[in-house]
Amino acid sequence: MIGSRARAAFAVLTTVVAIVVETSGSVGIAEAMPTPTDAVVLSSTGPSSVLARSAPHRTARSTESSPATRDEHADSSRAIPAYRSPSSEDRIVRIFSVTFRAVAGERRLIAGKIIARQPSSTPDSALMAAASVTCSPANDIPGAGATENVLRGRTSTLTPRFVYVAPRTGTVTCAALASGLRPRPVSRGYASSNVWVVDSGSYLSVSAPLGSWARTVDTDATSRVVEDRGSWTALSRIVRVRAGRSFQVVTDHKVTTCSSVGGSRDSSTGGREICAGHVSTRGSIARAIVTVVQLADSGQACSAPQVITGSRKVTPMVHHAMLAVRGVVTVDRSAACGDRFRIRSSLRHDGGAAFAVHAPSERATVLPR
């Protein structure tokens, strides 16, 4: 069994990451937003994925000069069972943890890199790997998660991350947890051989204290399906960024190609499989478009939109996949511009089958450069 901290993180794995049992599955996205024509394209990055054996917790000092701290030695086993019941807490494995002291209101980036490797000997051709990061005591952003199907003999990297704001002065413990499921179970071989492994190079990191404007923002939207070259703005927020000349924006998205009906529900769909009526085995090309506009005090745009893009083809075998994009935003320091920025995160269908966007996993993180 696992303790209370792991049970809290279990909720992140099952709600934020939106774990769904499928038999040959898929999942969803969608508010039409045209791509800006008068825009500066900042950068394009592909998806990333990441995963974990027993070691002492790392401890960080809570000062501006404190270096980033990370745990690379798993707290438990490197083997993550994918064959246990979805309702079994024993399938959740704590892989990393870091303890540090923080002052109330202090902000830290909590980031996991979990490299999931599925051995070539597993009976199932694909296993679902999920990872989450949470901190105790919790705050308004309870944590972050990532889910992706890993193919036999392959690896995927999961990168759950969020900016943690300490609710009080004292000790904070952050943990990375992992779990697995069998999206395409087969009858041959021993079911207990369906295990994925947290590979070397994985870690949980805690940054040095960040500025007061660093933050993670999420959405209260419900998941939708995007098809036929359509697009949907999953997140739109105005945030105050008191950066000097530039800052970073990192966004994370979970998408599912509608290769089957199963697997296209999550905590926001009311039990519905939203890929129903959209099934195709062609795979999907999903593009993330993050548009950042600096605003004047009046609320009007004061400079050209800046755009960060990234795309991924999600095959029917992979089915569930994470798409992460990162870019640098330049700050206009002219008198006409203020320190507020509108951040929009949209998903666009660039070809193939329709795909679902899981809104509970949509988030944008604003960080110093």
Side-chain angles (χ1 to χ4, degrees):
M1 297 299 290
I2 58 178
S4 58
R5 190 164 55 239
R7 281 194 292 272
F10 176 74
V12 175
L13 281 166
T14 55
T15 58
V16 175
V17 185
I19 290 179
V20 182
V21 181
E22 41 168 314
T23 53
S24 66
S26 56
V27 193
I29 301 194
E31 177 181 27
M33 173 183 166
T35 301
T37 54
D38 179 19
V40 181
V41 177
L42 298 174
S43 68
S44 176
T45 66
S48 50
S49 329
V50 209
L51 305 170
R53 188 178 157 190
S54 162
H57 299 178
R58 301 297 190 269
T59 302
R61 297 188 313 279
S62 176
T63 66
E64 286 296 336
S65 61
S66 173
T69 301
R70 71 183 189 182
D71 183 2
E72 301 174 339
H73 305 281
D75 292 344
S76 190
S77 170
R78 285 183 178 270
I80 311 301
Y83 56 87
R84 292 179 177 151
S85 165
S87 62
S88 172
E89 290 187 354
D90 288 343
R91 72 188 185 89
I92 309 296
V93 179
R94 189 172 78 173
I95 47 177
F96 302 116
S97 60
V98 177
T99 299
F100 60 97
R101 183 170 176 77
V103 175
E106 185 175 279
R107 296 167 184 256
R108 305 270 192 137
L109 175 65
I110 315 299
K113 180 182 180 184
I114 313 299
I115 303 170
R117 174 172 58 83
Q118 182 175 344
S120 58
S121 58
T122 57
D124 289 2
S125 60
L127 298 176
M128 192 186 79
S132 70
V133 293
T134 62
C135 294
S136 178
N139 64 2
D140 291 344
I141 301 290
T147 309
E148 188 159 327
N149 284 356
V150 187
L151 304 183
R152 185 192 291 134
R154 306 281 186 86
T155 63
S156 290
T157 301
L158 306 174
T159 54
R161 59 193 147 212
F162 73 109
V163 171
Y164 174 76
V165 182
R168 57 165 173 75
T169 298
T171 299
V172 178
T173 297
C174 298
L177 294 100
S179 70
L181 288 174
R182 300 175 65 195
R184 295 176 182 82
V186 297
S187 58
R188 69 176 184 276
Y190 293 100
S192 59
S193 297
N194 287 303
V195 171
W196 61 267
V197 178
V198 175
D199 223 346
S200 59
S202 303
Y203 59 81
L204 174 66
S205 68
V206 177
S207 75
L210 303 172
S212 61
W213 51 266
R215 70 193 61 215
T216 292
V217 295
D218 53 15
T219 179
D220 57 4
T222 56
S223 300
R224 307 222 349 226
V225 169
V226 178
E227 60 176 338
D228 298 332
R229 304 286 172 168
S231 64
W232 174 54
T233 299
L235 183 154
S236 181
R237 287 284 196 91
I238 294 176
V239 298
R240 193 175 296 277
V241 181
R242 293 187 172 92
R245 297 179 179 274
S246 62
F247 59 92
Q248 292 186 78
V249 173
V250 187
T251 59
D252 295 284
H253 322 266
K254 179 187 173 183
V255 298
T256 301
T257 182
C258 289
S259 58
S260 73
V261 173
S264 62
R265 70 184 185 276
D266 60 33
S267 60
S268 75
T269 66
R272 295 182 304 113
E273 298 281 7
I274 59 178
C275 275
H278 303 282
V279 174
S280 169
T281 58
R282 293 179 296 166
S284 304
I285 301 175
R287 178 173 294 276
I289 304 170
V290 181
T291 306
V292 184
V293 178
Q294 190 170 359
L295 305 176
D297 291 341
S298 65
Q300 300 299 309
C302 65
S303 61
Q306 300 178 67
V307 180
I308 309 163
T309 67
S311 65
R312 180 170 188 179
K313 181 170 184 179
V314 185
T315 66
M317 282 298 293
V318 170
H319 190 58
H320 300 300
M322 301 302 299
L323 171 56
V325 297
R326 177 192 298 267
V328 174
V329 176
T330 301
V331 177
D332 187 333
R333 306 308 302 173
S334 67
C337 286
D339 58 7
R340 293 185 302 155
F341 294 77
R342 180 180 293 279
I343 300 176
R344 294 187 182 218
S345 176
S346 302
L347 282 299
R348 189 176 75 193
H349 179 274
D350 271 6
F355 61 87
V357 178
H358 294 277
S361 296
E362 282 290 320
R363 58 189 58 229
T365 301
V366 181
L367 297 166
R369 189 171 172 187

